[in-house]
Amino acid sequence: MENDNKAKQKAMDLAEDARQTEWKFPSFTAELFRGAFRWDLMHPYPVQDPEDKKIGDEYLDKLRGVLKNHCDPIKIDKTGVYPKETLRALAEAGAFGMKIPKEYGGLGLSQTNYSRALSLIGSYCQSTVTWVSAHQSIGVPQPLKMYGTKEQKQKYLPRLAKGDISAFALTEPDVGSDPAKMSTTATPSEDGSYYLLNGDKLWCTNGPDADVLVVMAKTPPVVVNGKERTQITAFIVEKEMPGFEIVQRCSFMGLKGLSNGLLRFTNVRVPKENVIGKPGEGLRIALATLNTGRLGIPAASTACGKLSLQYAEKWVNERVQWGVPIGKHQAIAKKIANMAADTFAMDAIVWIACAFADKENADIRLEAAIAKYFCTETAWRLLDDYLQVSGGRGYETAESLAIRGDDPVPVERMLRDSRVARIFEGSSEIMHLIIAREALDTHFKLVMPIMMPPKGAKESKFSLIKKAAAFYLTWYPKQWLPSGQSFNVKHLSTTNQDHLAYVDRTCRKMARTIFHQMAKLQKKMEYEQILLGNFVDIGVDLFAMSACLAYAESFLAKDSANQGPQELADLFCKNARVRIGENFRRVKDNHNKTFNKVAKSLMEGKYRWLLTDIYQDFPEGYAPGDYVPADHENAAVK
Ligand SMILES: Cc1cc2nc3c(=O)[nH]c(=O)nc-3n(C[C@H](O)[C@H](O)[C@H](O)COP(=O)(O)OP(=O)(O)OC[C@H]3O[C@@H](n4cnc5c(N)ncnc54)[C@H](O)[C@@H]3O)c2cc1C
């Protein structure tokens, strides 16, 4: 147990060191968790610059043509083969260089236009969006843009913009969510001119067909303040480097056209010039890459939500049961109304997060994590709701529907394809942890050094207590007082203005409740994941409400006759207020200890008596080789 805690602490220390802390533009959500509703950061809702919008519109038209003429999502799903011809057409249209600056031969799109492109591609073929996104949201271009040297950029970015494929290799068979514990090593040569890379990387998207990969590996530890610090370093690895091997191509429940596999590095000699950033900065680089990188997924998820809504609108009108269109039965009406309101919320969140990301050095860690968490979870629920309102047809494949002449709605494929979005690039549970960590930042910084003084700390406990007391003496009373803030909204209805005032007062209630719980639980608070989850979900809903209200106001400012945004914002906010109320209740009145108790018993095998009348083993004859996936024959585009 003691060893468990030490290992946990070590991993957390490393993740902590890797957090970026310097920002020019503050985070709306971080302020919210501190009890400050910074409406000024969200309103007026950022409108895309007309020049930038024109660039995006033209590019999306081009992409539409490429998808229509060169990409067949049904065939890709059926065969599991991603055609070289499609990759070539995408590369020729610049789809692999969307995020690469123009000076290096890319399109230099803004985050907003890039996400618009991913939304379009994701609504058409999710295997395709994964190729394109893994290449540049997290693959080599992103860390090179942020941390690469001029030489590295000149050497790699033009190739990658033209269609050389890249990949991001962090996960290993034994480490996923906790990459700090990785076992891949990079041992420096005696003269320091190269490193020898050894280890396995699992589920690397694009990996089996990548020309260039960014690989994270452990380099020798260094001693800081008397404490040994694990060093993780980011390397550019080329597929031609001897010792690089594709061990397995993996196949999945969805995303059948994905190129993904288990990669092995055996004494791969990587020149020191291929280190991205400085040695030891690898985890920071990986986390920073994922911060903006994970904005691509919510754009594609929102697109799936929009498609579900479009299909639902048609179906609930067409399908008549018990003499009326099914959309008129209240149980279905509630589902489709929520689908519309939730789609509006996803849209509001994605585009504001992209607008924040387009600002220089803006702190978007929380907004990106919220966008990823909210949109992937919500899109999944929407797809499931659409499947439910479709009845039996929702469970049928698009090809089978087409044979009878029914609309070939691919919801079955979309569900299979989109499930993994809640897992990769940081699972929903990890998004919760990231949001919780940032939410508690103020208190952590002030209180933790008092409770757990770091080794070699220079400041005395007394001075730390004085500092914390000075902060809390002014901060805490403010959390009980009205903010006195007035909101310059001209078009929102009184109901929506009331929602705005609710966000304003509730963020202070959230901040003081967090403070009370911290005071009560102290160091134990960081292990209370269910409780922290309640706070995270309150914060996420307050952020989403704010985004919806600002988004609605921006639509109304353009066209006050269209009351749609008003209605959708109102429904979303009403639902969110119910969830927030429930989350506050659960902070005080919960059965979290019972969850712990039952989970512990399960882990100890105490419920095996329940497992009767089931087939206990894998079916006879299950052996590797019987289930070899189709050979993708994917090759990099030249
Ligand atoms: C199709 C696909 C594509 C992928 N592409 C890439 C890629 O290109 N590059 C790459 O490096 N990786 C890639 N991955 C790996 C992916 O990022 C990991 O699967 C993900 O990070 C989760 O890691 P894991 O699967 O090892 O799960 P684990 O980390 O073992 O987690 C298992 C479960 O425990 C939960 N959990 C873990 N830790 C905690 C905690 N502290 N608190 C609460 N809950 C916790 C998780 O949320 C999850 O539900 C891909 C995976 C898939 C399936």
Side-chain angles (χ1 to χ4, degrees):
M1 188 65 187
E2 200 185 330
N3 278 349
D4 273 6
N5 283 343
K6 267 192 188 155
K8 214 171 187 178
Q9 192 57 47
K10 209 172 165 194
M12 284 162 82
D13 284 350
L14 193 60
E16 194 58 29
D17 285 349
R19 285 173 64 241
Q20 190 171 341
T21 45
E22 297 297 317
W23 308 98
K24 231 187 206 173
F25 184 80
S27 157
F28 171 88
T29 317
E31 295 289 321
L32 205 61
F33 277 111
R34 278 195 277 272
F37 179 38
R38 292 285 306 273
W39 180 239
D40 59 307
L41 295 177
M42 193 168 266
H43 178 264
Y45 189 92
V47 179
Q48 192 180 9
D49 170 68
E51 255 318 286
D52 196 47
K53 182 166 181 322
K54 191 164 161 259
I55 294 170
D57 289 347
E58 285 169 8
Y59 190 60
L60 261 62
D61 280 346
K62 188 172 181 176
L63 271 180
R64 262 185 210 101
V66 173
L67 294 173
K68 188 165 177 232
N69 297 319
H70 302 278
C71 180
D72 181 344
I74 297 175
K75 195 168 168 200
I76 291 170
D77 184 59
K78 277 237 141 306
T79 60
V81 174
Y82 199 88
K84 286 180 206 167
E85 198 266 321
T86 310
L87 287 176
R88 201 169 292 119
L90 286 165
E92 276 166 15
F96 288 97
M98 288 191 276
K99 272 192 101 180
I100 295 176
K102 280 186 183 160
E103 57 181 305
Y104 297 108
L107 300 179
L109 295 187
S110 61
Q111 179 65 43
T112 303
N113 278 337
Y114 175 62
S115 292
R116 289 179 65 197
L118 294 188
S119 162
L120 178 76
I121 305 173
S123 67
Y124 186 77
C125 173
Q126 291 188 62
S127 287
T128 302
V129 82
T130 312
W131 272 90
V132 170
S133 168
H135 166 78
Q136 58 204 310
S137 296
I138 55 173
V140 180
Q142 185 64 22
L144 270 201
K145 255 172 54 181
M146 292 191 294
Y147 297 92
T149 62
K150 205 168 160 215
E151 292 72 31
Q152 288 172 336
K153 288 179 191 169
Q154 275 166 350
K155 182 170 176 189
Y156 290 105
L157 292 181
R159 279 172 60 184
L160 295 164
K162 279 200 198 103
D164 265 13
I165 305 283
S166 82
F168 174 82
L170 179 66
T171 306
E172 298 180 357
D174 292 331
V175 295
S177 304
D178 177 16
K181 293 255 198 63
M182 67 177 57
S183 56
T184 298
T185 55
T187 313
S189 62
E190 269 184 22
D191 65 357
S193 64
Y194 64 88
Y195 290 80
L196 281 184
L197 191 63
N198 281 289
D200 285 0
K201 292 288 177 184
L202 185 61
W203 295 323
C204 182
T205 301
N206 292 357
D209 294 289
D211 300 273
V212 196
L213 305 98
V214 50
V215 182
M216 307 295 164
K218 263 187 183 163
T219 41
V222 294
V223 176
V224 181
N225 292 335
K227 223 176 168 184
E228 195 175 89
R229 290 272 176 194
T230 305
Q231 297 286 286
I232 291 174
T233 302
F235 295 91
I236 306 167
V237 177
E238 302 207 37
K239 76 165 181 207
E240 270 87 21
M241 290 177 174
F244 170 59
E245 186 192 345
I246 301 152
V247 181
Q248 184 202 350
R249 281 180 185 270
C250 303
S251 51
F252 302 97
M253 73 187 280
L255 297 179
K256 297 290 183 188
L258 205 63
S259 162
N260 182 296
L262 171 62
L263 312 177
R264 180 158 299 152
F265 303 87
T266 312
N267 287 329
V268 176
R269 193 175 159 138
V270 187
K272 75 170 189 323
E273 290 73 27
N274 283 25
V275 169
I276 308 179
K278 293 193 191 107
E281 283 187 346
L283 197 57
R284 180 186 288 257
I285 291 171
L287 297 183
T289 299
L290 286 166
N291 271 339
T292 37
R294 62 170 64 100
L295 275 179
I297 292 179
S301 299
T302 303
C304 288
K306 288 181 181 175
L307 277 184
S308 312
L309 195 62
Q310 181 183 315
Y311 299 142
E313 182 204 311
K314 186 164 186 275
W315 180 247
V316 299
N317 273 303
E318 272 176 19
R319 182 67 172 173
V320 175
Q321 291 291 288
W322 274 281
V324 288
I326 56 166
K328 294 201 172 168
H329 295 300
Q330 207 184 20
I332 301 295
K334 180 182 169 193
K335 269 197 189 19
I336 57 174
N338 282 339
M339 284 173 76
D342 288 347
T343 303
F344 181 74
M346 286 195 279
D347 217 33
I349 287 176
V350 165
W351 304 121
I352 200 141
C354 289
F356 288 157
D358 277 327
K359 290 179 194 285
E360 201 197 328
N361 197 18
D363 180 3
I364 57 147
R365 290 169 300 175
L366 273 166
E367 284 74 16
I370 289 178
K372 160 109 198 332
Y373 167 61
F374 183 90
C375 296
T376 56
E377 291 288 332
T378 307
W380 173 254
R381 208 177 52 242
L382 253 71
L383 283 165
D384 187 50
D385 279 347
Y386 170 68
L387 189 154
Q388 190 67 18
V389 303
S390 306
R393 285 171 178 80
Y395 193 63
E396 197 170 357
T397 66
E399 305 91 286
S400 178
L401 288 165
I403 291 169
R404 282 199 314 277
D406 277 348
D407 278 348
V409 178
V411 66
E412 169 269 337
R413 167 165 54 85
M414 287 167 71
L415 266 163
R416 283 189 285 110
D417 285 347
S418 59
R419 180 60 182 85
V420 73
R422 295 165 61 203
I423 297 171
F424 61 16
E425 292 186 30
S427 65
S428 292
E429 291 77 15
I430 298 304
M431 291 305 101
H432 252 217
L433 293 188
I434 291 177
I435 299 165
R437 170 63 191 89
E438 298 305 330
L440 295 181
D441 193 46
T442 306
H443 308 298
F444 264 133
K445 274 193 198 133
L446 287 163
V447 182
M448 280 302 162
I450 303 172
M451 290 193 287
M452 296 177 62
K455 249 190 191 168
K458 291 194 183 88
E459 213 169 343
S460 71
K461 202 165 181 177
F462 178 69
S463 145
L464 289 167
I465 292 172
K466 228 169 84 181
K467 211 188 266 173
F471 171 81
Y472 285 116
L473 273 174
T474 49
W475 178 84
Y476 184 71
K478 268 199 217 156
Q479 306 314 312
W480 289 93
L481 299 170
S483 72
Q485 197 173 178
S486 63
F487 307 104
N488 56 339
V489 282
K490 294 196 190 89
H491 306 91
L492 288 185
S493 62
T494 42
T495 322
N496 274 328
Q497 293 200 28
D498 176 62
H499 294 317
L500 206 53
Y502 171 88
V503 177
D504 184 28
R505 63 177 183 273
T506 308
C507 75
R508 286 190 300 287
K509 180 177 173 185
M510 170 174 71
R512 61 179 191 256
T513 316
I514 291 175
F515 176 72
H516 296 158
Q517 290 299 318
M518 265 208 85
K520 185 173 141 195
L521 296 165
Q522 301 190 7
K523 177 76 189 106
K524 280 191 226 140
M525 176 92 165
E526 63 182 302
Y527 301 108
E528 290 290 331
Q529 288 194 350
I530 306 176
L531 182 78
L532 285 171
N534 296 134
F535 289 124
V536 167
D537 285 337
I538 292 170
V540 168
D541 264 328
L542 291 177
F543 172 74
M545 285 176 74
S546 316
C548 281
L549 293 165
Y551 200 36
E553 173 77 1
S554 77
F555 275 104
L556 293 161
K558 276 188 269 170
D559 176 11
S560 59
N562 175 13
Q563 285 296 298
Q566 190 91 266
E567 288 161 12
L568 296 181
D570 177 42
L571 176 55
F572 180 82
C573 289
K574 281 181 173 144
N575 285 336
R577 286 172 75 158
V578 172
R579 289 191 295 265
I580 291 169
E582 183 59 24
N583 273 309
F584 273 123
R585 256 189 304 283
R586 283 189 206 156
V587 169
K588 282 203 182 127
D589 178 14
N590 59 55
H591 49 278
N592 296 351
K593 285 197 175 126
T594 314
F595 292 130
N596 294 344
K597 190 175 153 202
V598 173
K600 185 167 175 276
S601 295
L602 175 79
M603 290 175 80
E604 288 166 356
K606 288 187 181 159
Y607 300 139
R608 288 194 195 134
W609 49 263
L610 189 60
L611 311 177
T612 53
D613 299 341
I614 53 169
Y615 197 96
Q616 305 273 355
D617 302 315
F618 288 115
E620 289 276 321
Y622 184 90
D626 290 352
Y627 298 94
V628 177
D631 182 2
H632 289 235
E633 287 184 330
N634 294 323
V637 185
K638 288 290 169 223

